[in-house]
Amino acid sequence: MTRSVGVAEFLAGLVPPWALPVVLLATTLAEAPIVVALVLGRYWFRNREAGMRLAIVVATAFAAMLALKHLFALPRPPAELRAPVSTVPAPFDAIYESLLDTDESGFPSGHTTIAAAAYGGAAMDAENRRKWLAVAAVMVALVGGSRLFLAVHYLADVAGGIALAAVVIGAARLADGWLEAPKGALAVGSVGALLSAAVLPGTPEVLAAAGVVVAVGLMWLSVDLPEEPWTLSVGTAERALVAVGIGALTATPLLVFGITPVLAFVVSVVAVSAAIAVPAFDDLER
């Protein structure tokens, strides 16, 4: 499988060490805190249905990405292409070093997959789709380009991540068109989670992603969620903080007992359920 080795070698040499912090910042656009904030913001403040679908899309793409990495097991670019950690200015040197400390295979790019699923999925449900798709394309290009400039992925890895995310987004939207939303997306997410778990049985990250799909399904079936999204106010900010606090508290056992498959699944289900269910208590406070 050709993976544009020459492109990786060319791009890796374009960024001087002093400019690596800028590239690292671009990579963080696909880190968990930003992606979670995007999904929650979409669900709480824009559109309930679209927010649940986005959560499923991101979780499914994440699980599928891990499974494909395992199946292909293709190496990353050689370490010789990367700038030495000692040349990166503090405090970015620690971030850079942690980024390089990985045994994961390279195909597809995880950061690019998540960026394309999150930003692309959100853009597809936006009112002005063309404008937000352009914004999403820029965000994905920044993330994917940063992975190339950091010499941690080949061009084919980045392209593979975008393609994977596009397939998951398209499948979820098509399924929701055939079935009642988010029933279709739930079906796609369930199949994706099961297939990924079959490839990587007992993997905490895959089970955490499956927990997202389970939580969305449970809340959709059992909780009467108001259709109207929140408006920005002190009250909604307080409720959002409560949900985030519950999620943080739920994750405490992971710090105490370590990340195990069962804990990863349970924490994911409880934390996501809390985030989804919070709007159901709006009427109680009026």
Side-chain angles (χ1 to χ4, degrees):
M1 178 178 181
T2 177
R3 298 166 73 202
S4 306
V5 177
V7 174
E9 294 176 346
F10 172 73
L11 293 177
L14 292 181
V15 181
W18 58 264
L20 281 175
V22 177
V23 181
L24 288 171
L25 287 175
T27 280
T28 62
L29 292 172
E31 292 292 336
I34 293 178
V35 172
V36 170
L38 172 65
V39 174
L40 290 178
R42 185 72 181 158
Y43 173 74
W44 285 335
F45 297 101
R46 300 301 296 174
N47 185 291
R48 302 271 188 250
E49 178 185 303
M52 286 191 283
R53 177 163 52 228
L54 184 59
I56 294 169
V57 163
V58 172
T60 305
F62 175 70
M65 173 270 298
L66 293 175
L68 289 176
K69 278 181 178 289
H70 178 77
L71 289 173
F72 282 101
L74 294 172
R76 294 174 181 266
E80 294 76 24
L81 294 179
R82 303 165 195 159
V85 176
S86 59
T87 62
V88 180
F92 295 96
D93 54 345
I95 301 174
Y96 182 60
E97 186 173 16
S98 66
L99 182 146
L100 299 180
D101 184 21
T102 177
D103 294 326
E104 291 181 358
S105 60
F107 182 88
S109 164
H111 280 77
T112 309
T113 300
I114 298 305
Y119 298 114
M124 286 297 292
D125 282 319
E127 292 180 3
N128 191 338
R129 183 184 297 180
R130 181 175 297 180
K131 180 184 77 173
W132 289 109
L133 278 175
V135 173
V138 171
M139 302 294 273
V140 174
L142 286 172
V143 174
S146 72
R147 310 306 287 167
L148 296 174
F149 286 122
L150 290 171
V152 292
H153 280 294
Y154 293 110
L155 181 59
D157 304 339
V158 171
I162 296 172
L164 171 59
V167 168
V168 175
I169 293 170
R173 291 183 63 82
L174 282 174
D176 271 347
W178 295 331
L179 305 171
E180 179 187 353
K183 191 185 297 184
L186 280 169
V188 171
S190 299
V191 171
L194 287 173
L195 291 176
S196 300
V199 174
L200 291 170
T203 303
E205 294 85 355
V206 171
L207 289 176
V212 174
V213 178
V214 170
V216 173
L218 287 175
M219 293 300 99
W220 176 68
L221 289 171
S222 61
V223 179
D224 186 15
L225 296 169
E227 293 184 6
E228 287 298 315
W230 287 343
T231 55
L232 286 173
S233 67
V234 173
T236 55
E238 290 174 347
R239 275 168 268 172
L241 287 174
V242 168
V244 172
I246 293 173
L249 186 63
T250 303
T252 303
L254 297 176
L255 301 176
V256 177
F257 301 106
I259 301 176
T260 66
V262 173
L263 269 181
F265 177 77
V266 172
V267 167
S268 177
V269 171
V270 175
V272 174
S273 296
I276 294 174
V278 165
F281 296 95
D282 288 355
D283 290 338
L284 299 178
E285 299 181 9
R286 290 172 183 166

